[in-house]
Amino acid sequence: MKLGVSSYCFRALMARGEMDLIAVLDWVAASPAGHLEVAAPDGQYYLDHDEVVRTAAAHAADIGVPIVNYLVSGDLRTADEKEIDLLRRQLDVAHRFGARIFRHDVAPWAWREQDPGEFESTFEQVVLGCRAVADHAAELGIVSTIENHGFFMNGSERLARLVHEVDRPNFRVTLDLGNGLCVGEVPGKTAAGLIDVAASVGVKDFHIRRTAPGDGWLKTLAGDYLLGTIAGHGDLDLPGLLALVGTRPDVPVSLEFEGLEATPQAIERSLNNILGLVGA
C-alpha cells in the first residue's frame, strides 16, 4: 500500500501558524507516511503565492516526499466559465507542485438539491464543467478527480454515473472511505462501487451514534451522528475496507485525520494503526 498523509490533518496547526507546508513535508519525511497530498479548500493562497508552491515542490523532491494530489474547492453547478477558468489555474498550481492527481469539488459542501428535477439539471451542468477541467488536466498529464464529498455529489451511484457521463480517460474519483456515511451509504457499498474508478483513496474513521452526545457531531442524511477520530478507534470496518483498497496497489492512499485528539501524535498513531491493519 502506498500510504501517505493529507495536509488537511495539520489544518489547525497551519491555521495557527505553528506549521507551514515545509514543516509538514519534513514531518512526513520522518513519519511512517511516504507521500503528501496538499488540501487547499481556499486554494487562492497558492494562486497568490507561487513562490510557496515552487519552494515546497523543490523541497519535496529534495527530501523524497512526493506531492501526489492537490485538492481544492469548486462550484460547477452552472458550468460558469469563470469558475472553470479558476479550476484550470488551480490545475496549473497542481502541475507546479508536481502532483499527478487533482481533486475539485463541484458544489458547496452543504448544498443539496431540493428535488429530482433540480438534481438532473444541475448534474448536466456539472458534467460539462468536469469535462472542461479534465481536458485541461490531460494537457498537463494530470488525472482530474471528484471526491465523494458533502451532500450533493456523494454516494457511489452518483459518482459512478458522473465518471461515465464525463467520459474522459483521465477523469476519475478520489475515494473517501468514510464520506458516504454523510448521505446514508454504508462504507462497504461506497468502496465497492468506486474502487475500480478510484485514482486515489482517503482514509478516515468516525464514531457513529444514533444521538449526538454533545457538540461537534455531524448529522447525516440518515439521521446518524458522526465524529472524526484516530484511524482504528472508530466504528468503520477499516480492515475490510483496506483489504478492498489493497486490490488496487497502484493507487495512493492518504490519511485524512479530522478528530478532536491532539495532533500530530494522533496522526502518527493513525498511520501506524493503518499499517498494522494491512499487515505492513
Side-chain angles (χ1 to χ4, degrees), residues 38-264:
V38 176
D42 181 13
Q44 189 64 41
Y45 175 81
Y46 293 118
L47 285 173
D48 293 340
H49 296 85
D50 184 62
E51 74 284 357
V52 173
V53 175
R54 295 187 183 277
T55 298
H59 189 66
D62 288 343
I63 64 176
V65 177
I67 296 173
V68 301
N69 196 0
Y70 179 54
L71 293 73
V72 300
S73 59
D75 187 354
L76 295 176
R77 289 175 295 171
T78 62
D80 178 72
E81 187 59 35
K82 182 178 179 181
E83 183 71 11
I84 292 171
D85 181 65
L86 175 61
L87 290 174
R88 289 188 182 114
R89 291 190 290 124
Q90 292 284 17
L91 269 165
D92 295 337
V93 172
H95 184 63
R96 290 193 289 275
F97 268 130
R100 286 294 170 260
I101 305 169
F102 175 70
R103 190 229 76 176
H104 64 87
D105 289 330
V106 297
W109 182 87
W111 188 79
R112 180 79 175 187
E113 76 280 357
Q114 295 300 305
D115 54 60
E118 185 178 23
F119 172 78
E120 292 298 335
S121 61
T122 304
F123 184 83
E124 291 175 2
Q125 297 304 305
V126 166
V127 169
L128 296 176
C130 287
R131 284 175 181 164
V133 174
D135 287 343
H136 184 59
E139 296 171 359
L140 301 173
I142 291 175
V143 176
S144 180
T145 73
I146 172 71
E147 182 179 347
N148 54 315
H149 185 235
F151 289 103
F152 168 59
M153 195 49 62
N154 200 343
S156 56
E157 293 178 4
R158 288 190 173 191
L159 268 78
R161 179 184 172 193
L162 182 62
V163 171
H164 175 76
E165 292 294 332
V166 172
D167 192 25
R168 294 292 189 270
N170 70 314
F171 182 73
R172 289 292 181 262
V173 169
T174 287
L175 165 60
D176 188 289
L177 296 179
N179 279 351
L181 287 165
C182 295
V183 293
E185 183 170 87
V186 295
K189 180 180 179 182
T190 303
L194 296 175
I195 189 62
D196 288 341
V197 293
S200 65
V201 173
V203 180
K204 60 163 62 90
D205 205 350
F206 288 119
H207 296 300
I208 307 172
R209 299 290 184 270
R210 288 300 300 167
T211 57
D215 295 334
W217 293 73
L218 169 68
K219 187 176 183 180
T220 74
L221 295 187
D224 295 319
Y225 291 86
L226 307 178
L227 182 68
T229 188
I230 291 170
H233 287 193
D235 295 313
L236 269 66
D237 175 24
L238 283 186
L241 294 169
L242 293 171
L244 182 60
V245 171
T247 65
R248 294 286 311 281
D250 57 313
V251 173
V253 178
S254 299
L255 170 70
E256 186 178 312
F257 172 76
E258 55 184 21
L260 300 179
E261 297 89 346
T263 56

